[in-house]
Amino acid sequence: MKTRYKLSIGIIIFIFVFVLADKLIDRTPIVQSILDDVNQNAPYTLTIKHLEHSFLQPGLVIVDGFNYQDEFAQSARIEHVKLNVNIPALIKQKVLVEVLGINDVTLDFSEQGINDLISALAKEQPEPNEEENKALPISVVELDELVVLPVKLDFEAQTGNIKAEAVQVKLSNFSLLHDGVFDLNQVKGLVEIKSDNVELMVQDLKNTRDNAKIELAFAKTDIRIDINQTKPSQVTLQSFNLQQLDALVDLGKIEEASQNVVEEVSEEVKVKSKEVAADLIELPIDLFIQQAKVQQANLELKHGLQTVHAKQLSVDLTDWAVTDNKQFILAKLKGQLALKLAQVSQREATQAESDHIDITPGFHSLAKLNDLELQLDLNQTQSGQLTVQKMNLAEVELELNADSAKAELGATQTDESTQNEDQVSQSSSEQALNETAAQSADSPESEAKPDPKPGSSKGTQAEGNQQLSIEVPFDVKVEYIGVNKFNATLVRDEQKVQIKNLSVALKQTQLTQNKRFMLDKINSQIELSIEQLNALDYQAKQFIAKASVAEGKVDLVQLDSELLGGELSVTADATYIAPYVVNLNSFTAKNISAQVKLAQPKSSSASESENPAQAESNEPEAVDNSSKQTDEIEAIESLIVNAISINNVNLELLDPEQNKVWFAAKQFSFELDHLPLVQAHKMLALETLKSGSNMKLKLDELTYLSSIVDSIALNVTTLDQGIEVNQSGFQLDGGHLIANSKLTTNNEKLNSVANIDWKNLNLDRIQAFVKDSPIKPQGRISGNLQTQLNFLPTSKDIKDIDGEIKLETSEFDLKGIALDKIIDGFRSSQETSLLDVGAFMVSGPLGMVAMNFAQLGSGAAQLSGSTKMKKIKVDSHLKDSVLTLNRANIQTKGNHLGLYGKVDLAKNRFKKLRFGILNDEGCANIKQTLDGPFAEVKDVLFSTTTGAVTSPLSSVFNQAANLANGGKCKSFFPE
């Protein structure tokens, strides 16, 4: 008993001494010495403040105050480390880390420091031997829990820095090694990361001239990642929750791309994005996003004078399968996205902000977008389809002013023009030399590839249609896209356009079919409304439009608006792929009144007198438009107007300088039913017309300058290969004009029959229409014009026309010529040629002969004074360019003129054209016969004196001839 007692006492004392020694012996110096020996040649030092270990708990190690410091101004500090390893498991070749806790971590590193450290370590790294490369005899490595908190990081690079505070990392239930093999598909565990604040900045810190930068601040981030636990061979992002993100992107001098860090980073992102978006990317493990959410993000983008703010953006990703069988395939991406954005606003920089900006934009603008909501899913509603379930924008405010910016830009260009002259001259010379060299180098290639023939629209159209089909990775369907309220003000060239409360919606829109985008396969429903639209001085209200798009066709089922105080309504349908088929189903306008500011046109005589040289240069040139017309017709298969109804439309044209209305149309009405303007790629022509279409035009009053015409009416009915005009005309100051005519074709010539009656028309009311004529009709007139003409469609003047013309008028006045004075002068002196009178009778009132006073007149005509016309009666016909006057009577107040004979208009010659001054009995006291070319007749007339006659002119001045006829005169006109 005594021995046992002593043995027990000894064991207790040994244990006590062992425990006391275990507690009292400080292992810190030993470990620090080992660290110093190991790293004595290293470019860094490792120190510990205190290490705690006990043989009674051999798997538990606690280190306080671990520090790392290198020669490159980098440091790391860990205040507390706790490691607990299951020692008995090591016997079974298992590493079971029950607890690994790391507290209060501070990291201060830089890109340059890390690079220098790597270089220094590479120089001192010994050659590896075979023993060091042998695998450890461990079959299993498991980590029950790893906690790192809080971590403070400060990392600086050449293009920015990263700062993080209060970062927490937790790894739990990790299995890293299985059967001695590391296989990513066998790794299991849960990773949790939390941080209070992370700041990232991208900026060229060494280049002070580059003010471009990106700043990101992440607040309250919570990440939970599951590795191979939810599903084998899959990394699952169970949750990503970011409470707030603040981002600033300043593009700086973006045009200097080689010196702009943001541009460089953007290019790198583009390259990486292209690699990621490749058709097939092999990955070692599948990726799945269960939920990723950004609760609030505020973004700021600066470019030049413009700053864009995006406030309270939230993004929610749900159930995204990033890979399929460890392959990233864009077409097999699957998931849902929900996005909300409270506001996007754009403003211009303040004066202080713009001092360092060299960019001058082409406009000044302000913009604001409120409450954007987006919901979409990929491959969930339907496999192989991107479905935009909802995209709605509550409100948009936009202001765009191009005038003020234009003035600033002009001033800047003026200041810089002198500096740039030498540079432009030099660059132009260099460019000319380069172009010459390039042309000589490229000439064989250019000869091998000739330009396409002009006018080959079919080839161009076919090529365009082939390009309309674009392959995409998935189909795209839009269930709803809408803007609830859009308000805009646009100012350019001192003109303002305002849009108030515009709303637009696209519903059930299918953009692709079979993963191909084809314009002619788009299906959609479109609704548009505008409460008010102000453009220039005009206003439209309550604009409503509804349309559907399907199979390459737009069907405008409704377009209604209150326009210019009236109403407008349109329905139509058209294909939007060439060749176009367009149907204007209905066009209705009523009670519309508009005043348009338009300068009053100057008279031709005034414009010529102001600048004769310019008048000559403005003459139209012959232009071959055949190819252009062919292209236009080729592009349109058919254009049909089914119904047009216009009632009570009023229009005024106001000269802004004189502030005076010079043209007005009151109560204009127009009706038209079913008229095909284009059919089978051919424009409307007389020979293609079919009977049954009707057109009616009415105008209560037309004012042009001082002329006023009332009750204008035009009634047209189509015939087979023709048109008929019935009871059409106008009223003028108590008088009226009525016309009835018919125009038909036999596919070769056009046939026209017309009967025009006018009664008591006041010619003084239409002076504005003849203000440029030297001879103006005046007074009231009645009369009738009957024509029956045949001519080719290509006829350009009266020489190409065959047919009959009969004209009869009542008395009226002529201002600008004194016929009676001319005739009396001839009667008394016989020195004035009757040719002046004849030229007037043929060229003037009849308007049928293509000759003018400069060619035929002797200059004796008195283009002043006035003439009282009593009556005009003409019976004539045209055949083969020969005008035959069967009988023409022109009676003035004091004289009676007779005229008959022929004029060859093609050969410019008279064929026994006879003039006569008649008495009351119809006999010619004085008569004259013209026979021969215009030029020869003119020469003879000008050399004729006192009745002298030479060929080809024969003149008879014989008043005594009547006496030889028994006192009875002979009628001037043949029986």
Side-chain angles (χ1 to χ4, degrees), residues 331-342:
K332 291 190 176 182
L333 275 175
K334 186 177 181 181
Q336 291 183 322
L337 167 68
L339 180 148
K340 292 184 179 181
L341 180 60

Side-chain angles (χ1 to χ4, degrees), residues 525-572:
Q525 301 289 329
I526 305 171
E527 296 179 2
L528 173 69
S529 67
I530 304 176
E531 182 178 312
Q532 186 170 315
L533 173 63
N534 300 324
L536 305 178
D537 297 327
Y538 313 111
Q539 187 178 92
K541 294 182 178 180
Q542 304 304 325
F543 181 94
I544 299 175
K546 294 181 180 180
S548 63
V549 180
E551 301 298 327
K553 180 180 178 182
V554 178
D555 188 2
L556 182 62
V557 296
Q558 179 186 5
L559 191 155
D560 297 328
S561 178
E562 297 178 9
L563 178 65
L564 301 172
E567 300 176 9
L568 175 69
S569 179
V570 180
T571 62

Side-chain angles (χ1 to χ4, degrees), residues 730 732-738 755-764 766 777-786 806-813 868-874:
F730 58 86
L732 185 64
D733 197 16
H736 66 267
L737 180 147
I738 297 178
N755 187 348
I756 303 174
D757 282 301
W758 61 93
K759 183 177 181 181
N760 202 28
L761 290 181
N762 187 352
L763 298 177
D764 296 337
I766 60 171
Q778 293 181 333
R780 291 185 175 270
I781 186 173
S782 299
N784 175 264
L785 174 65
Q786 298 180 29
K806 295 181 180 180
L807 172 67
E808 185 173 358
T809 72
S810 64
E811 65 178 35
F812 64 97
D813 296 333
K868 185 72 173 180
M869 304 296 299
K870 301 294 290 182
K871 181 180 181 182
I872 295 178
K873 187 174 183 180
V874 178

Side-chain angles (χ1 to χ4, degrees), residues 590-619:
K590 59 182 180 181
N591 303 326
I592 293 177
S593 299
Q595 185 179 79
V596 180
K597 292 182 179 179
L598 185 65
Q600 177 181 326
K602 296 182 180 179
S603 63
S604 58
S605 58
S607 60
E608 290 174 3
S609 62
E610 289 175 3
N611 194 343
Q614 184 179 0
E616 292 180 4
S617 64
N618 289 339
E619 291 183 2

Side-chain angles (χ1 to χ4, degrees), residues 572-682:
D573 61 78
T575 60
Y576 53 85
I577 304 294
Y580 303 108
V581 176
V582 183
N583 295 303
L584 180 59
N585 298 320
S586 67
F587 180 94
T588 303
K590 59 182 180 181
N591 303 326
I592 293 177
S593 299
Q595 185 179 79
V596 180
K597 292 182 179 179
L598 185 65
Q600 177 181 326
K602 296 182 180 179
S603 63
S604 58
S605 58
S607 60
E608 290 174 3
S609 62
E610 289 175 3
N611 194 343
Q614 184 179 0
E616 292 180 4
S617 64
N618 289 339
E619 291 183 2
E621 298 180 359
V623 178
D624 184 9
N625 291 326
S626 58
S627 62
K628 181 178 179 181
Q629 293 175 354
T630 302
D631 290 345
E632 293 174 352
I633 301 303
E634 186 65 31
I636 302 176
E637 181 178 338
S638 70
L639 172 58
I640 299 175
V641 177
N642 288 314
I644 295 179
S645 177
I646 301 175
N647 293 297
N648 191 26
V649 173
N650 300 280
L651 173 65
E652 291 183 346
L653 301 182
L654 177 71
D655 191 313
E657 294 184 0
Q658 302 180 17
N659 196 27
K660 181 179 179 181
V661 175
W662 57 273
F663 177 89
K666 295 183 179 180
Q667 296 188 25
F668 171 78
S669 298
F670 181 79
E671 301 286 338
L672 175 65
D673 57 12
H674 191 73
L675 183 64
L677 300 179
V678 177
Q679 280 189 315
H681 300 283
K682 293 182 179 180

Side-chain angles (χ1 to χ4, degrees), residues 17-28:
V17 172
F18 177 80
V19 173
L20 183 62
D22 188 36
K23 291 291 185 179
L24 295 178
I25 296 174
D26 187 3
R27 295 160 177 81
T28 303

